PDB file of all heavy atoms in Angstrom:
ATOM      1  N   VAL A 282       2.875   8.403  17.392  1.00  0.00           N
ATOM      2  CA  VAL A 282       2.401   7.936  16.064  1.00  0.00           C
ATOM      3  C   VAL A 282       2.238   9.138  15.141  1.00  0.00           C
ATOM      4  O   VAL A 282       2.643   9.083  13.966  1.00  0.00           O
ATOM      5  CB  VAL A 282       1.066   7.171  16.157  1.00  0.00           C
ATOM      6  CG1 VAL A 282       0.437   6.977  14.782  1.00  0.00           C
ATOM      7  CG2 VAL A 282       1.310   5.797  16.801  1.00  0.00           C
ATOM      8  N   SER A 283       1.757  10.250  15.628  1.00  0.00           N
ATOM      9  CA  SER A 283       1.619  11.432  14.790  1.00  0.00           C
ATOM     10  C   SER A 283       2.987  11.904  14.330  1.00  0.00           C
ATOM     11  O   SER A 283       3.179  12.267  13.154  1.00  0.00           O
ATOM     12  CB  SER A 283       0.918  12.566  15.579  1.00  0.00           C
ATOM     13  OG  SER A 283      -0.387  12.187  15.933  1.00  0.00           O
ATOM     14  N   LEU A 284       3.987  11.882  15.232  1.00  0.00           N
ATOM     15  CA  LEU A 284       5.327  12.325  14.894  1.00  0.00           C
ATOM     16  C   LEU A 284       5.980  11.403  13.846  1.00  0.00           C
ATOM     17  O   LEU A 284       6.475  11.845  12.805  1.00  0.00           O
ATOM     18  CB  LEU A 284       6.217  12.357  16.145  1.00  0.00           C
ATOM     19  CG  LEU A 284       7.723  12.594  15.894  1.00  0.00           C
ATOM     20  CD1 LEU A 284       7.945  13.973  15.262  1.00  0.00           C
ATOM     21  CD2 LEU A 284       8.486  12.458  17.201  1.00  0.00           C
ATOM     22  N   PHE A 285       5.966  10.093  14.132  1.00  0.00           N
ATOM     23  CA  PHE A 285       6.662   9.154  13.241  1.00  0.00           C
ATOM     24  C   PHE A 285       5.900   8.987  11.910  1.00  0.00           C
ATOM     25  O   PHE A 285       6.571   8.684  10.885  1.00  0.00           O
ATOM     26  CB  PHE A 285       6.803   7.827  13.923  1.00  0.00           C
ATOM     27  CG  PHE A 285       7.725   7.838  15.101  1.00  0.00           C
ATOM     28  CD1 PHE A 285       7.418   7.201  16.314  1.00  0.00           C
ATOM     29  CD2 PHE A 285       8.930   8.529  15.018  1.00  0.00           C
ATOM     30  CE1 PHE A 285       8.280   7.252  17.371  1.00  0.00           C
ATOM     31  CE2 PHE A 285       9.820   8.552  16.106  1.00  0.00           C
ATOM     32  CZ  PHE A 285       9.476   7.921  17.281  1.00  0.00           C
ATOM     33  N   SER A 286       4.635   9.176  11.881  1.00  0.00           N
ATOM     34  CA  SER A 286       3.893   9.168  10.626  1.00  0.00           C
ATOM     35  C   SER A 286       4.343  10.323   9.746  1.00  0.00           C
ATOM     36  O   SER A 286       4.563  10.134   8.521  1.00  0.00           O
ATOM     37  CB  SER A 286       2.405   9.215  10.865  1.00  0.00           C
ATOM     38  OG  SER A 286       1.916   8.090  11.544  1.00  0.00           O
ATOM     39  N   PHE A 287       4.470  11.490  10.312  1.00  0.00           N
ATOM     40  CA  PHE A 287       4.935  12.657   9.592  1.00  0.00           C
ATOM     41  C   PHE A 287       6.352  12.433   9.035  1.00  0.00           C
ATOM     42  O   PHE A 287       6.627  12.708   7.878  1.00  0.00           O
ATOM     43  CB  PHE A 287       4.913  13.903  10.443  1.00  0.00           C
ATOM     44  CG  PHE A 287       5.650  15.073   9.868  1.00  0.00           C
ATOM     45  CD1 PHE A 287       5.289  15.614   8.638  1.00  0.00           C
ATOM     46  CD2 PHE A 287       6.730  15.652  10.506  1.00  0.00           C
ATOM     47  CE1 PHE A 287       5.942  16.696   8.054  1.00  0.00           C
ATOM     48  CE2 PHE A 287       7.434  16.695   9.941  1.00  0.00           C
ATOM     49  CZ  PHE A 287       7.062  17.216   8.702  1.00  0.00           C
ATOM     50  N   VAL A 288       7.218  11.887   9.882  1.00  0.00           N
ATOM     51  CA  VAL A 288       8.574  11.623   9.426  1.00  0.00           C
ATOM     52  C   VAL A 288       8.597  10.632   8.267  1.00  0.00           C
ATOM     53  O   VAL A 288       9.392  10.743   7.305  1.00  0.00           O
ATOM     54  CB  VAL A 288       9.440  11.026  10.581  1.00  0.00           C
ATOM     55  CG1 VAL A 288      10.836  10.642  10.067  1.00  0.00           C
ATOM     56  CG2 VAL A 288       9.588  12.068  11.707  1.00  0.00           C
ATOM     57  N   GLY A 289       7.620   9.710   8.267  1.00  0.00           N
ATOM     58  CA  GLY A 289       7.503   8.752   7.168  1.00  0.00           C
ATOM     59  C   GLY A 289       7.109   9.385   5.838  1.00  0.00           C
ATOM     60  O   GLY A 289       7.349   8.814   4.779  1.00  0.00           O
ATOM     61  N   THR A 290       6.552  10.568   5.903  1.00  0.00           N
ATOM     62  CA  THR A 290       6.221  11.291   4.628  1.00  0.00           C
ATOM     63  C   THR A 290       7.457  12.042   4.087  1.00  0.00           C
ATOM     64  O   THR A 290       7.446  12.490   2.946  1.00  0.00           O
ATOM     65  CB  THR A 290       5.082  12.301   4.819  1.00  0.00           C
ATOM     66  OG1 THR A 290       5.516  13.350   5.719  1.00  0.00           O
ATOM     67  CG2 THR A 290       3.859  11.626   5.404  1.00  0.00           C
ATOM     68  N   LEU A 291       8.450  12.169   4.920  1.00  0.00           N
ATOM     69  CA  LEU A 291       9.669  12.939   4.544  1.00  0.00           C
ATOM     70  C   LEU A 291      10.752  12.040   3.972  1.00  0.00           C
ATOM     71  O   LEU A 291      11.502  12.460   3.108  1.00  0.00           O
ATOM     72  CB  LEU A 291      10.227  13.711   5.751  1.00  0.00           C
ATOM     73  CG  LEU A 291       9.300  14.748   6.401  1.00  0.00           C
ATOM     74  CD1 LEU A 291      10.005  15.323   7.607  1.00  0.00           C
ATOM     75  CD2 LEU A 291       8.985  15.877   5.385  1.00  0.00           C
ATOM     76  N   THR A 292      10.870  10.824   4.534  1.00  0.00           N
ATOM     77  CA  THR A 292      11.896   9.908   4.116  1.00  0.00           C
ATOM     78  C   THR A 292      11.468   8.464   4.254  1.00  0.00           C
ATOM     79  O   THR A 292      10.702   8.141   5.149  1.00  0.00           O
ATOM     80  CB  THR A 292      13.162  10.130   4.988  1.00  0.00           C
ATOM     81  OG1 THR A 292      14.140   9.127   4.703  1.00  0.00           O
ATOM     82  CG2 THR A 292      12.855  10.044   6.469  1.00  0.00           C
ATOM     83  N   THR A 293      11.953   7.661   3.366  1.00  0.00           N
ATOM     84  CA  THR A 293      11.681   6.220   3.426  1.00  0.00           C
ATOM     85  C   THR A 293      12.586   5.549   4.465  1.00  0.00           C
ATOM     86  O   THR A 293      12.416   4.349   4.741  1.00  0.00           O
ATOM     87  CB  THR A 293      11.909   5.540   2.055  1.00  0.00           C
ATOM     88  OG1 THR A 293      13.257   5.809   1.612  1.00  0.00           O
ATOM     89  CG2 THR A 293      10.920   6.082   1.042  1.00  0.00           C
ATOM     90  N   ARG A 294      13.498   6.309   5.049  1.00  0.00           N
ATOM     91  CA  ARG A 294      14.365   5.814   6.154  1.00  0.00           C
ATOM     92  C   ARG A 294      13.854   6.295   7.497  1.00  0.00           C
ATOM     93  O   ARG A 294      14.648   6.538   8.379  1.00  0.00           O
ATOM     94  CB  ARG A 294      15.804   6.257   5.889  1.00  0.00           C
ATOM     95  CG  ARG A 294      16.429   5.814   4.604  1.00  0.00           C
ATOM     96  CD  ARG A 294      16.639   4.251   4.642  1.00  0.00           C
ATOM     97  NE  ARG A 294      17.252   3.824   3.375  1.00  0.00           N
ATOM     98  CZ  ARG A 294      16.571   3.291   2.387  1.00  0.00           C
ATOM     99  NH1 ARG A 294      15.242   3.219   2.458  1.00  0.00           N
ATOM    100  NH2 ARG A 294      17.169   2.875   1.278  1.00  0.00           N
ATOM    101  N   ALA A 295      12.543   6.364   7.598  1.00  0.00           N
ATOM    102  CA  ALA A 295      11.941   6.877   8.859  1.00  0.00           C
ATOM    103  C   ALA A 295      12.271   6.007  10.055  1.00  0.00           C
ATOM    104  O   ALA A 295      12.424   6.511  11.178  1.00  0.00           O
ATOM    105  CB  ALA A 295      10.428   6.988   8.701  1.00  0.00           C
ATOM    106  N   VAL A 296      12.383   4.711   9.855  1.00  0.00           N
ATOM    107  CA  VAL A 296      12.691   3.750  10.929  1.00  0.00           C
ATOM    108  C   VAL A 296      14.078   4.059  11.479  1.00  0.00           C
ATOM    109  O   VAL A 296      14.304   4.044  12.719  1.00  0.00           O
ATOM    110  CB  VAL A 296      12.545   2.310  10.500  1.00  0.00           C
ATOM    111  CG1 VAL A 296      13.073   1.379  11.571  1.00  0.00           C
ATOM    112  CG2 VAL A 296      11.122   1.972  10.158  1.00  0.00           C
ATOM    113  N   VAL A 297      15.040   4.311  10.598  1.00  0.00           N
ATOM    114  CA  VAL A 297      16.406   4.633  11.030  1.00  0.00           C
ATOM    115  C   VAL A 297      16.421   5.870  11.845  1.00  0.00           C
ATOM    116  O   VAL A 297      17.040   5.951  12.943  1.00  0.00           O
ATOM    117  CB  VAL A 297      17.315   4.745   9.829  1.00  0.00           C
ATOM    118  CG1 VAL A 297      18.734   5.163  10.256  1.00  0.00           C
ATOM    119  CG2 VAL A 297      17.396   3.452   9.025  1.00  0.00           C
ATOM    120  N   PHE A 298      15.758   6.932  11.337  1.00  0.00           N
ATOM    121  CA  PHE A 298      15.648   8.189  12.087  1.00  0.00           C
ATOM    122  C   PHE A 298      15.010   7.923  13.451  1.00  0.00           C
ATOM    123  O   PHE A 298      15.456   8.437  14.484  1.00  0.00           O
ATOM    124  CB  PHE A 298      14.834   9.209  11.291  1.00  0.00           C
ATOM    125  CG  PHE A 298      14.381  10.376  12.148  1.00  0.00           C
ATOM    126  CD1 PHE A 298      15.204  11.486  12.313  1.00  0.00           C
ATOM    127  CD2 PHE A 298      13.125  10.377  12.751  1.00  0.00           C
ATOM    128  CE1 PHE A 298      14.804  12.563  13.106  1.00  0.00           C
ATOM    129  CE2 PHE A 298      12.699  11.434  13.524  1.00  0.00           C
ATOM    130  CZ  PHE A 298      13.542  12.530  13.734  1.00  0.00           C
ATOM    131  N   GLY A 299      13.933   7.146  13.427  1.00  0.00           N
ATOM    132  CA  GLY A 299      13.199   6.883  14.676  1.00  0.00           C
ATOM    133  C   GLY A 299      14.021   6.165  15.724  1.00  0.00           C
ATOM    134  O   GLY A 299      13.935   6.495  16.907  1.00  0.00           O
ATOM    135  N   ILE A 300      14.796   5.205  15.322  1.00  0.00           N
ATOM    136  CA  ILE A 300      15.626   4.465  16.255  1.00  0.00           C
ATOM    137  C   ILE A 300      16.648   5.375  16.913  1.00  0.00           C
ATOM    138  O   ILE A 300      16.861   5.356  18.132  1.00  0.00           O
ATOM    139  CB  ILE A 300      16.364   3.277  15.536  1.00  0.00           C
ATOM    140  CG1 ILE A 300      15.315   2.207  15.174  1.00  0.00           C
ATOM    141  CG2 ILE A 300      17.450   2.699  16.469  1.00  0.00           C
ATOM    142  CD1 ILE A 300      15.874   1.075  14.346  1.00  0.00           C
ATOM    143  N   VAL A 301      17.259   6.246  16.095  1.00  0.00           N
ATOM    144  CA  VAL A 301      18.213   7.216  16.630  1.00  0.00           C
ATOM    145  C   VAL A 301      17.499   8.154  17.610  1.00  0.00           C
ATOM    146  O   VAL A 301      17.999   8.478  18.721  1.00  0.00           O
ATOM    147  CB  VAL A 301      18.874   8.032  15.517  1.00  0.00           C
ATOM    148  CG1 VAL A 301      19.745   9.158  16.101  1.00  0.00           C
ATOM    149  CG2 VAL A 301      19.720   7.117  14.636  1.00  0.00           C
ATOM    150  N   TYR A 302      16.326   8.614  17.221  1.00  0.00           N
ATOM    151  CA  TYR A 302      15.541   9.498  18.059  1.00  0.00           C
ATOM    152  C   TYR A 302      15.140   8.826  19.383  1.00  0.00           C
ATOM    153  O   TYR A 302      15.310   9.400  20.453  1.00  0.00           O
ATOM    154  CB  TYR A 302      14.308   9.973  17.347  1.00  0.00           C
ATOM    155  CG  TYR A 302      13.360  10.812  18.154  1.00  0.00           C
ATOM    156  CD1 TYR A 302      13.579  12.144  18.411  1.00  0.00           C
ATOM    157  CD2 TYR A 302      12.215  10.219  18.743  1.00  0.00           C
ATOM    158  CE1 TYR A 302      12.718  12.927  19.191  1.00  0.00           C
ATOM    159  CE2 TYR A 302      11.348  10.960  19.516  1.00  0.00           C
ATOM    160  CZ  TYR A 302      11.618  12.293  19.749  1.00  0.00           C
ATOM    161  OH  TYR A 302      10.737  13.025  20.556  1.00  0.00           O
ATOM    162  N   VAL A 303      14.592   7.637  19.305  1.00  0.00           N
ATOM    163  CA  VAL A 303      14.098   6.917  20.473  1.00  0.00           C
ATOM    164  C   VAL A 303      15.214   6.659  21.477  1.00  0.00           C
ATOM    165  O   VAL A 303      15.125   7.018  22.653  1.00  0.00           O
ATOM    166  CB  VAL A 303      13.398   5.617  20.123  1.00  0.00           C
ATOM    167  CG1 VAL A 303      13.097   4.779  21.362  1.00  0.00           C
ATOM    168  CG2 VAL A 303      12.093   5.888  19.379  1.00  0.00           C
ATOM    169  N   PHE A 304      16.292   6.020  20.999  1.00  0.00           N
ATOM    170  CA  PHE A 304      17.356   5.615  21.927  1.00  0.00           C
ATOM    171  C   PHE A 304      18.343   6.750  22.163  1.00  0.00           C
ATOM    172  O   PHE A 304      18.927   6.800  23.258  1.00  0.00           O
ATOM    173  CB  PHE A 304      18.098   4.386  21.382  1.00  0.00           C
ATOM    174  CG  PHE A 304      17.237   3.113  21.363  1.00  0.00           C
ATOM    175  CD1 PHE A 304      16.707   2.657  20.224  1.00  0.00           C
ATOM    176  CD2 PHE A 304      16.986   2.479  22.580  1.00  0.00           C
ATOM    177  CE1 PHE A 304      15.903   1.491  20.222  1.00  0.00           C
ATOM    178  CE2 PHE A 304      16.173   1.334  22.590  1.00  0.00           C
ATOM    179  CZ  PHE A 304      15.632   0.858  21.426  1.00  0.00           C
ATOM    180  N   GLY A 305      18.518   7.629  21.191  1.00  0.00           N
ATOM    181  CA  GLY A 305      19.437   8.743  21.426  1.00  0.00           C
ATOM    182  C   GLY A 305      18.860   9.854  22.223  1.00  0.00           C
ATOM    183  O   GLY A 305      19.431  10.298  23.260  1.00  0.00           O
TER     184      GLY A 305
END
């Protein structure tokens, strides 16, 4: 949650980044 929350402050496409990160 700490990681993905930070990513959410960088881009509004945080979910897309997260999916690539999680599964990739």
Side-chain angles (χ1 to χ4, degrees):
V282 166
S283 298
L284 172 63
F285 293 136
S286 295
F287 167 60
V288 174
T290 66
L291 299 175
T292 173
T293 56
R294 299 292 180 264
V296 172
V297 176
F298 165 85
I300 290 174
V301 173
Y302 173 81
V303 170
F304 291 105

